[in-house]
Every structure is written in C-alpha cells, then in structure tokens.
Amino acid sequence: MRNIYTAIILAMMSSANTFAQGSGISTEDVTLSVAGQHLNVSAEIILDSLKLGSNRQVFVTPVVRGAAEEEATLPSLLISGKNMHFAYQRGALKGFDDISRHEIIDEVWRRNGKKQKFDYLASVPLEKWMRLGDARLAFVYDSCGCGVEQGQLIMDEIPLHLNPAKEMRTAMVTPAVTELPVEIHEGKARVQFEVDRTELHDSPFTCRNGQKIDNREQLRIIDDSVSYALSDPNVEIAGIAICGYASPESPYTHNDYLATNRSKALAEYLADRYNIPRDKSTYSAVPENWKEFREQIVNSDEITDRQRADLLELIDRPAYGPADYDEKEKELKTSPKFAKLYRSKILPEWFPRLRATTFAISTRLKPMDDRHLARIIETSPEKMSLNQMFRVARLYPEGSDEFNRVIDIALAHYPDNETANLNAAAAKVRSGDYEAAKPLLDKAGMSAEVCNLRGIIATAEGEFEEAEKWFEKAGNLPEASKNLNLLR
C-alpha cells in the first residue's frame, strides 16, 4: 500500500505545472490583529470553485512579507483529493518531501462540486519589520509541494496596516510677519554745497564768493537710479540711505558738522521728492575722506615714488581722535615734503574729488493680496518674505503638488530658517518621504511641531516606544495628542 501512495505523489508532482494554471480557491473576511507579541491571521478559505483530482493535494499558506525580502510563513492548510485524503489520514504520506516542506495546520478532503470553506486561524511571532508600512500578507497556492517559494498568489497581497504613520497628522507653523526683503541699488553723486554752508541747492545758484553751483546733473544721477530701482511696477521704495564725505582740510570737528548736515539736507530733499517717510531716508557722514585720498595717491602718475611713499606713511599713521587727524592735515600744509604739492595739486584738484555723496536705494514689494503674490513667486520669489510664501502655499490643498512646490521654493530662499525647514519636513513626512525629512528636522529646532514629526518618523520605522516619547514631548500640540492615541 505504501508504494501505491508513493506513485500517486509522484504523479501529482509531475503534472503540477498544468494544474497550477488556476487555483479555484479564494479568501474572504481576512482579518489581521496583534495580541501581545504575536500577529494573528484569520480568514475564510473558500473552496467552492476548486476541482481537485482524487490523487492530488494542494497547500494554501499565509505568508507575511517585508520590503527587504523578510518573510514569515504561517502553517499551511492542506487540501486533498479523495485518495490523498485517506492516505494522509493513515499517515502514509508522512516523511515525503512535499509534505515536510510545510507545517500543516489542518487537512481537508475536497468534495468536488460542493460548497466548502475552511475557517483559518493561526499566529506568527510579531517582528519589528512587520510594523513597517510596506509589510503585507500573501496567500500562496502550492500545487506541487515545492514550498511557498514556488507557489502562486491566490489574490493580491494585503497590506498589514500595523503601522499608523500614514494616518498621523502633521503640523506646520505660519512664519512670523517680518520686514520684506529689500534690493539695494547703490550709486555715487558729487552734490556741491556753498563753502561752509549746509543748504542744498537743486537749481543753479551763485554763492557769495561768486562760485556757481549747478547740482542738476548730479541730482539727475540719483533720479535715474530711483527710476531704475522702480522699473518693476510691483516694487516701491523702502528707504534711501545717504552718506556724505568731506575732504580733510579744516578742523575735523567742523568737517564732521558739515558732512553730517549736508547729508541730512540731501536725505530730506529726497524724502520730500519721492514721498518717503523721513525716518526711511537716513543719513550718515565720513568727516574726512582719507580712504579715497589714499586711493588717489596709490593710483596717481603725477607724483614721484618718494612723494608717494611719504604721503602713504602720513596717511597710514594711526589716528585716535580729531586731534590726530588735524595734525595730519597741518603736516600736509606745512611740511617741506608736502607743502608745495599741497598748494599745487592736493588742495585745488584732489580734495574736491573727495567731497562726494553715496546713496543706497532700497526697494521692496508693494502691499498686495495673496493671489497677486502667487504670480510674483513665479518670477521674483527673492522679493518675498517667508510669511508671504506660506500664504501662497495655503492657496492650494495641503499635500498637493502645488502646495509642496511652494514650500520647496520657500526652503530654497530661506535654507537656514527653522520654520522653513520645519514646514518642508512636514511636507516630506506627509508624502511618506521620511528620509528626506530627517536632515530638514535637524535644522528646524526643537518645537512641539518638530517633536511631532519625529514621532511620526519613529512610528514609520517601527520604533513605537521612541515614537511615544516624541509625542509626549510635543506636549499639548493637538496633532501630537491624536497621533499618540492612534499609536496606542
């Protein structure tokens, strides 16, 4: 009798490939649950459509699989034709390879043509990788006894859903309202003033000593710079900074007075001309322009090398206050090394060139609504604040491609800002890109929102105890509280 059953098994194995074209088996009411450190699998295995020859057997085996080819096999249901069923009942099949490749939970006799189902229930030790979001359950159909490696799927694999990370809620932070970024347009003009006076003349003027002053060309230089700065219709002037430079003749304190008040006069003139609040038109002064004087000496081809060396030694001599600067000026006037050059070249030609005014025009975006800002971010995002960018992002559904693109633009322009990094990390976590979120969180500080995101990432990685600590550390953040309840 033993030899008869051996022949039956061999016949079954030799024709397995043709039998494996369709299983005729299905599953219903598949349920996964965790009890302690075990994963329970229950299902109804439906045999209604299975037609099984009397000398055949098939195995139905639940298998849990992970993304990194991890695998845990549960006990198999053995389904037998009539002859194989009786052979199994008598123990005649024990020890054969096709049987020993499976741990059998039960064996049933398939009665062809009749409705038949099996209530399956088994468990497998719960492992960390099963908690990851990509773990799934497969029901494998094996008609040759070759093992689950050679089997076919009865149905699509079922995600375990033991990891709640994708259901957890992220939290973003609205960036603080700050001053808008400004673009600086710099220039230099040589606005003239009457000797020892601080009044600005914007039209031709004849001084008491007969000197004629005409500032129209120099003021036009500033006008042209303002026009260029405002060539973008979306920007306005945020401020103008004026710095006046005086030449070293006369006492230092007097030069300080003249340079400061001449700068003030020009700043007030520009504020009135361009309707800028007075506090946005600022001024400063350099009482004696020794720096540019030094550049003149270095670049001049009108002096000897000896003269150049002597002048540079004088200019570079440390000065700790007005008296030291006055001493330098006195030496220029009276020293035999410099006096002639001072009268012929320095005073009449070089010093007037030192009396200049530099200006810096700052522009920024005009006030506008979020819809208008959505157009600006496509062309000039560098002009926008982080708060404005976030407002544009909120025009789109959170998690949408448009929303995420704006969040990425914000990060590109504010790469070291904690809020920008936090919001970018939240967008990555929401999309399931946990690895991309990690370096962003390292630059996002340690707010409750950051702790919440770290908790979600720990959950996704199956580190449930660590995740619980992060959610608790997030304090009363509503999203973290809900995530903690979901985890538990």
Side-chain angles (χ1 to χ4, degrees):
M1 181 65 70
R2 178 69 175 263
N3 290 335
I4 293 175
Y5 290 125
T6 301
I8 293 172
I9 293 170
L10 293 175
M12 177 188 71
M13 294 178 65
S14 66
S15 61
N17 290 334
T18 58
F19 185 78
Q21 297 305 314
S23 70
I25 301 172
S26 61
T27 59
E28 293 182 358
D29 296 332
V30 178
T31 303
L32 301 165
S33 62
V34 174
Q37 293 302 310
H38 284 81
L39 172 66
N40 297 328
V41 177
S42 66
E44 289 185 354
I45 300 177
I46 310 300
L47 309 178
D48 297 355
S49 300
L50 174 63
K51 292 182 179 180
L52 192 61
S54 180
N55 295 331
R56 297 190 180 280
Q57 287 179 312
V58 296
F59 300 86
V60 177
T61 308
V63 182
V64 183
R65 291 170 173 166
E69 299 185 357
E70 304 96 337
E71 192 168 273
T73 304
L74 284 84
S76 303
L77 171 64
L78 173 60
I79 307 168
S80 305
K82 180 179 179 180
N83 291 342
M84 299 302 286
H85 169 69
F86 289 116
Y88 183 83
Q89 291 293 316
R90 293 168 182 160
L93 299 181
K94 292 180 180 179
F96 284 82
D97 287 345
D98 56 340
I99 297 293
S100 61
R101 289 192 180 99
H102 294 270
E103 177 188 353
I104 299 173
I105 190 172
D106 207 344
E107 185 266 351
V108 298
W109 171 14
R110 173 57 186 143
R111 300 172 185 271
N112 292 334
K114 294 185 178 181
K115 289 188 176 182
Q116 195 173 358
K117 69 177 182 178
F118 178 80
D119 292 325
Y120 183 94
L121 176 61
S123 64
V124 67
L126 182 64
E127 299 187 46
K128 178 181 174 181
W129 60 265
M130 296 178 185
R131 297 175 173 178
L132 304 183
D134 44 20
R136 68 260 184 216
L137 172 68
F139 282 87
V140 177
Y141 167 84
D142 175 14
S143 61
C144 67
C146 306
V148 294
E149 296 83 3
Q150 304 298 322
Q152 295 181 341
L153 294 179
I154 292 176
M155 56 185 292
D156 291 339
E157 294 181 330
I158 303 170
L160 294 192
H161 290 310
L162 296 184
N163 194 300
K166 290 186 177 180
E167 303 170 41
M168 290 183 169
R169 304 185 182 189
T170 60
M172 291 187 170
V173 172
T174 300
V177 177
T178 59
E179 291 286 340
L180 293 179
V182 296
E183 187 174 357
I184 308 295
H185 307 266
E186 296 181 316
K188 179 184 287 188
R190 299 188 183 278
V191 178
Q192 291 182 301
F193 289 85
E194 188 176 359
V195 174
D196 216 28
R197 306 283 294 185
T198 61
E199 295 87 358
L200 174 69
H201 300 290
D202 59 349
S203 59
F205 179 79
T206 301
C207 304
R208 289 169 297 177
N209 63 0
Q211 177 191 6
K212 295 185 181 299
I213 292 177
D214 187 352
N215 283 320
R216 290 177 296 178
E217 181 179 349
Q218 296 302 310
L219 291 176
R220 191 176 301 117
I221 292 174
I222 302 177
D223 277 336
D224 290 344
S225 295
V226 172
S227 298
Y228 175 76
L230 295 179
S231 59
D232 183 346
N234 294 308
V235 304
E236 63 182 5
I237 292 178
I240 295 181
I242 300 297
C243 183
Y245 293 80
S247 54
E249 81 270 19
S250 298
Y252 184 94
T253 54
H254 186 62
N255 289 333
D256 187 13
Y257 167 81
L258 289 176
T260 299
N261 285 279
R262 287 171 176 176
S263 296
K264 179 182 179 181
L266 181 56
E268 291 176 346
Y269 165 81
L270 295 174
D272 293 339
R273 179 171 177 78
Y274 300 112
N275 196 28
I276 303 171
R278 287 291 180 94
D279 62 341
K280 297 296 183 182
S281 185
T282 59
Y283 61 91
S284 60
V286 176
E288 295 185 356
N289 192 359
W290 289 92
K291 179 181 178 182
E292 196 169 350
F293 181 40
R294 190 183 195 284
E295 293 173 358
Q296 291 177 338
I297 299 302
V298 170
N299 296 320
S300 176
D301 56 5
E302 301 178 90
I303 57 176
T304 66
D305 290 342
R306 181 71 265 168
Q307 288 175 316
R308 191 186 330 275
D310 290 340
L311 284 167
L312 290 177
E313 181 182 2
L314 171 69
I315 293 171
D316 293 341
R317 190 169 69 204
Y320 302 102
D324 295 327
Y325 288 109
D326 290 345
E327 184 62 32
K328 287 186 181 185
E329 185 211 352
K330 180 180 178 181
E331 192 170 333
L332 279 175
K333 291 179 179 179
T334 60
S335 171
K337 293 189 291 185
F338 309 124
K340 184 177 179 181
L341 182 65
Y342 181 84
R343 291 191 300 272
S344 64
K345 186 71 62 177
I346 295 176
L347 183 61
E349 297 183 20
W350 292 356
F351 273 7
R353 301 175 194 168
L354 304 182
R355 303 161 194 156
T357 301
T358 61
F359 56 88
I361 304 166
S362 304
T363 60
R364 66 185 173 201
L365 281 179
K366 294 177 179 177
M368 59 186 66
D369 61 32
D370 294 349
R371 293 288 177 183
H372 197 170
L373 287 173
R375 295 193 290 271
I376 297 296
I377 203 170
E378 300 298 332
T379 58
S380 305
E382 72 281 354
K383 291 181 170 67
M384 297 175 60
S385 70
L386 185 59
N387 176 272
Q388 288 176 320
M389 292 181 176
F390 192 71
R391 283 160 45 195
V392 171
R394 288 295 191 195
L395 294 175
Y396 309 106
E398 188 170 338
S400 66
D401 290 342
E402 294 86 355
F403 180 93
N404 291 340
R405 186 175 62 84
V406 175
I407 291 297
D408 287 341
I409 291 174
L411 180 65
H413 286 273
Y414 295 90
D416 298 319
N417 183 278
E418 288 188 356
T419 301
N421 278 275
L422 163 66
N423 290 341
K428 298 298 183 185
V429 168
R430 186 183 179 93
S431 67
D433 193 352
Y434 304 114
E435 288 303 316
K438 289 179 181 179
L440 300 175
L441 288 176
D442 290 339
K443 299 175 65 176
M446 195 53 69
S447 64
E449 291 80 7
V450 169
C451 293
N452 179 59
L453 291 176
R454 291 192 181 279
I456 297 174
I457 293 174
T459 301
E461 294 177 343
E463 302 292 349
F464 290 175
E465 292 182 3
E466 179 184 347
E468 186 171 0
K469 292 177 182 177
W470 280 116
F471 291 137
E472 290 175 345
K473 195 169 184 178
N476 296 324
L477 184 71
E479 291 82 356
S481 299
K482 293 175 181 177
N483 292 341
L484 182 58
N485 290 334
L486 186 60
L487 178 67
R488 288 172 173 169

